[in-house]
Amino acid sequence: MTAAPEICIAAIDPGLTGAICFFFPALSDRVSVEDMPVVNGEVDVSILARRIRQLAPTFIVVEQVGPMPRDGCRQAFGLGTAYAAAKATVTLCTVPLHLVTPQVWKRHHRLIGADDPKEAGRALALRLFPASAEHFARKKDHNRSDAALIAAYAAAAITSGRAE
């Protein structure tokens, strides 16, 4: 009798200041989180693809982002380019891709309506993943915590078939 393969969920918070998280639900108190690889002001798809292939996730969840009314043209273009690069890289790595909007995963974690949603998300990541607290130690690590929380959402919702 062979053991079932271990599930690895990767989650990407796209953007040049975004992050990628690898989460093994069997080790639920820890995650591996890295800042988005960037070179010359663009996502380094070569390094991103290498990391995806090294850890061979079962599936990848990418936050489905769009421009915000307050974003300037340059910021919106940069975010859109990074989002497209993340999606294309996942597709070329032939890993199943799921998209999730910020509203869905934030509602799942009850972060909508928080006084400081970024800090609330970072605090939640610290509680959920105490063995990986060093990844979320600084206030500016909120993008890492977002990637980790997207992975936790995926573990709870997608693997159970309850994804929205």
Side-chain angles (χ1 to χ4, degrees), residues 2-152:
T2 60
E6 189 170 6
I7 292 175
C8 173
I9 300 168
I12 299 176
D13 175 27
L16 298 179
T17 60
I20 182 167
C21 173
F22 295 94
F23 176 52
F24 293 85
L27 302 170
S28 62
D29 68 333
R30 68 191 71 233
V31 291
S32 174
V33 186
E34 305 167 15
D35 293 330
M36 182 67 72
V38 175
V39 66
N40 294 327
E42 294 184 1
V43 171
D44 188 330
V45 296
S46 176
I47 291 175
L48 183 59
R50 186 175 325 125
R51 291 301 290 148
I52 290 169
R53 289 186 180 113
Q54 284 173 341
L55 287 160
T58 309
F59 62 90
I60 300 177
V61 180
V62 176
E63 184 180 44
Q64 187 175 18
V65 295
M68 301 291 287
R70 66 184 182 279
D71 290 348
C73 294
R74 179 171 281 164
Q75 183 179 5
F77 183 79
L79 181 60
T81 301
Y83 172 65
K87 280 180 45 182
T89 303
V90 171
T91 301
L92 291 173
C93 287
T94 65
V95 177
L97 169 66
H98 297 270
L99 301 175
V100 62
T101 64
Q103 296 82 3
V104 168
W105 72 261
K106 288 178 181 181
R107 183 172 45 247
H108 172 82
H109 290 296
R110 296 183 173 96
L111 296 174
I112 293 178
D115 289 338
D116 184 350
K118 291 178 182 182
E119 190 59 20
R122 192 174 73 83
L124 178 58
L126 284 165
R127 287 192 307 275
L128 290 177
F129 307 111
S132 301
E134 72 278 3
H135 293 303
F136 317 113
R138 304 166 301 173
K139 190 169 179 93
K140 71 178 188 174
D141 292 334
H142 62 87
N143 291 322
R144 292 178 183 179
S145 63
D146 284 358
L149 294 175
I150 292 167

